[in-house]
Amino acid sequence: MSILDKMVEDGDGRFWGFLGCRYIKGNKQEVQIALTAGENHTNSMGIIHGGVLTSLMDQAMGMVATAAMEVDRCVTTNLNVHFLAPMSQGELIVTSTVLHQAGRSITTQSEVRDASGTLGCMSTATFRVAKSRV
């Protein structure tokens, strides 16, 4: 079982499952996940909450970072988000890729698009390999 498959399998009872994430595909350089955003994902203006979008990107970037570094755990140390267009209920696709890798750190980028291809937001993040559990 690959690192990505294990993350998805273990995710149902965690935040991944709470959000409603779905794994599309992935490897050491790119991960794609999806979410069918519903009313429960919206804010008081009726658009998808920025925290949902940020969480989706953080999740996908963490997955590609973990796969690229061939480890079972890494943590976000920096996350920058740019909201570009409001996202509505429906299918959201998140694509994350590796930008740079050095030592125990890796930098990634991510974007969220709706079913029509509109770019809703983008982000970059840096991850660091976490110490093994005691």
Side-chain angles (χ1 to χ4, degrees):
M1 176 181 293
S2 78
I3 293 167
L4 293 172
D5 291 331
K6 181 159 178 35
M7 290 178 81
V8 172
E9 182 179 287
D10 292 346
D12 285 340
R14 301 180 187 275
F15 195 62
W16 166 275
F18 177 76
L19 277 177
C21 298
R22 292 188 325 277
Y23 176 70
I24 298 175
K25 64 180 180 177
N27 56 45
K28 292 180 181 183
Q29 290 300 311
E30 180 180 283
V31 164
Q32 269 192 344
I33 66 172
L35 171 72
T36 304
E39 186 176 6
N40 59 315
H41 296 107
T42 63
N43 62 22
S44 60
M45 295 182 293
I47 59 176
I48 304 306
H49 192 285
V52 171
L53 298 170
T54 301
S55 293
L56 289 170
M57 291 185 290
D58 186 39
Q59 177 68 52
M61 289 186 291
M63 291 173 77
V64 76
T66 300
M69 298 197 67
E70 297 180 332
V71 296
D72 62 354
R73 340 176 340 137
C74 64
V75 295
T76 310
T77 59
N78 186 48
L79 177 65
N80 297 297
V81 178
H82 299 274
F83 298 102
L84 306 170
M87 295 279 96
S88 300
Q89 294 180 52
E91 196 68 10
L92 301 176
I93 305 295
V94 184
T95 304
S96 295
T97 57
V98 173
L99 288 175
H100 182 261
Q101 186 173 346
R104 292 179 52 203
S105 295
I106 187 166
T107 303
T108 59
Q109 66 182 359
S110 190
E111 64 180 35
V112 178
R113 293 183 182 268
D114 65 15
S116 69
T118 300
L119 178 61
C121 54
M122 58 176 285
S123 64
T124 57
T126 302
F127 295 83
R128 185 161 178 86
V129 174
K131 293 182 180 179
S132 297
R133 294 179 187 172
V134 177

